[in-house]
């Protein structure tokens, strides 16, 4: 079985401050990890993924994520948040096979 | 442009009626998926297909049906047996494992 937990329903930050969205996972075998962003009434947009290699992954729009195998975490980070980063963020995990399991999502609000 | 097209974007249905949601992709991906999104619950997998003429049930397949007669198309039928069909439905496709999923813009179904 595979699962993802996003412990925070909401994250609020001021524009210009660092943004972190937390994600922990549980899988059997090697994990393949993903972050997506969703704007209201839209589909999900891919931000970044960890497959193998360097634990720090860089993605779209200035986002990055750090894979930590010992803590089974894959937190999403952005050094300086923008108001336009306000959206719903999903972490997802994939082990063997085609199924991708998603967390419940974290709503990010960046205030001006 | 390559991508995934879902239609209709909004759909209203009376109780007891079946409805079919369309999903077409021109990305030449073998795998396609249907997810259901409800507020606060993240995305839940309904059905997925790894190849033409083959598909598997996901976590919440009851009350839904699919077909995969062509590589480009993966329609989802929401039947009258689905007890709570009002939701946002997302179609996705992916290239070879373990690539990320590419999502359509979604279809919002409301049962009146």
């Amino acid at each position: 079985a595979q699962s993802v937990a996003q412990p925070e329903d909401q994250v609020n930050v001021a524009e210009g401050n660092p943004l972190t969205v937390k994600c922990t996972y549980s899988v059997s075998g090697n994990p393949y990890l993903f972050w997506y962003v969703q704007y209201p009434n839209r589909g999900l947009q891919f931000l970044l993924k960890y497959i193998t290699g360097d634990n720090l992954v860089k993605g779209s729009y200035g986002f990055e994520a750090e894979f930590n195998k010992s803590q089974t975490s894959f937190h999403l980070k952005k050094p300086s948040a923008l108001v336009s980063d306000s959206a719903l963020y999903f972490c997802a995990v994939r082990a063997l096979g085609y199924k991708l399991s998603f967390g419940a999502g974290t709503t990010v609000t960046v205030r001006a | 442009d390559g991508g995934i097209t879902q239609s209709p974007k909004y759909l209203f249905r009376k109780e007891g009626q079946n409805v079919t949601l369309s999903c077409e992709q021109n990305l030449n991906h073998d795998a396609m998926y249907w997810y259901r999104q409800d507020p606060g619950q993240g995305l839940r997998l309904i059905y997925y297909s790894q190849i033409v003429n083959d598909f598997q049930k996901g976590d919440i397949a009851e009350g839904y049906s699919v077909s995969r007669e062509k590589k480009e198309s993966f329609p989802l039928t929401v039947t009258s047996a689905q007890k709570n069909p009002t939701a946002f439905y997302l179609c996705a496709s992916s290239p070879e494992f373990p690539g990320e999923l590419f999502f359509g813009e979604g279809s919002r179904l409301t049962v009146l």
Side-chain angles (χ1 to χ4, degrees), chain B residues 2-97:
Chain B
I4 300 178
T5 302
Q6 289 188 241
S7 62
K9 189 168 179 63
Y10 298 96
L11 186 60
F12 298 89
R13 183 194 98 175
K14 293 181 180 180
E15 280 192 25
Q17 290 180 334
N18 292 354
V19 62
T20 296
L21 307 180
S22 171
C23 178
E24 303 279 331
Q25 56 103 355
N26 61 4
L27 300 168
N28 200 34
H29 290 166
D30 284 319
M32 296 188 74
Y33 309 78
W34 275 104
Y35 284 89
R36 169 178 171 144
Q37 184 177 15
D38 296 283
Q41 294 193 45
L43 277 69
R44 293 182 289 169
L45 183 63
I46 305 173
Y47 270 97
Y48 65 102
S49 169
Q50 299 177 25
I51 198 167
V52 174
N53 293 322
D54 184 55
F55 49 83
Q56 289 79 41
K57 293 181 178 180
D59 300 319
I60 57 164
E62 184 175 352
Y64 299 97
S65 66
V66 293
S67 63
R68 187 83 188 277
E69 298 176 0
K70 299 187 300 181
K71 187 175 185 177
E72 302 80 15
S73 179
F74 192 41
L76 173 74
T77 296
V78 185
T79 75
S80 56
Q82 168 51 231
K83 298 304 180 188
N84 186 20
T86 295
F88 191 52
Y89 291 89
L90 288 159
C91 180
S93 69
S94 72
E96 68 281 356
F97 180 86

Side-chain angles (χ1 to χ4, degrees), chain A residues 4-107:
Chain A
V4 174
Q6 294 181 239
E8 299 163 317
D9 292 337
Q10 292 198 4
V11 170
N12 298 303
V13 298
E15 189 172 34
N17 282 2
L19 170 63
T20 299
V21 186
K22 296 180 180 177
C23 171
T24 59
Y25 66 90
S26 174
V27 294
S28 300
N30 292 325
Y32 303 100
L33 296 155
F34 305 82
W35 275 102
Y36 288 85
V37 62
Q38 185 182 35
Y39 297 97
N41 294 309
R42 303 294 299 276
L44 275 66
Q45 296 178 28
F46 170 73
L47 285 177
L48 50 80
K49 65 183 176 184
Y50 172 82
I51 303 298
T52 187
D54 194 349
N55 288 345
L56 183 63
V57 179
K58 294 189 182 297
S60 305
Y61 313 118
F63 284 95
E64 59 188 28
E66 185 167 11
F67 171 64
N68 187 317
K69 188 172 183 177
S70 63
Q71 296 185 5
T72 62
S73 67
F74 189 55
H75 301 330
L76 181 70
K77 300 180 181 182
K78 187 170 184 179
S80 178
L82 301 171
V83 171
S84 58
D85 293 328
S86 298
L88 181 58
Y89 290 80
F90 289 100
C91 181
V93 67
R94 195 175 193 180
L96 292 177
Y98 282 79
K99 180 178 176 180
L100 191 66
S101 297
F102 286 83
T106 299
T107 299

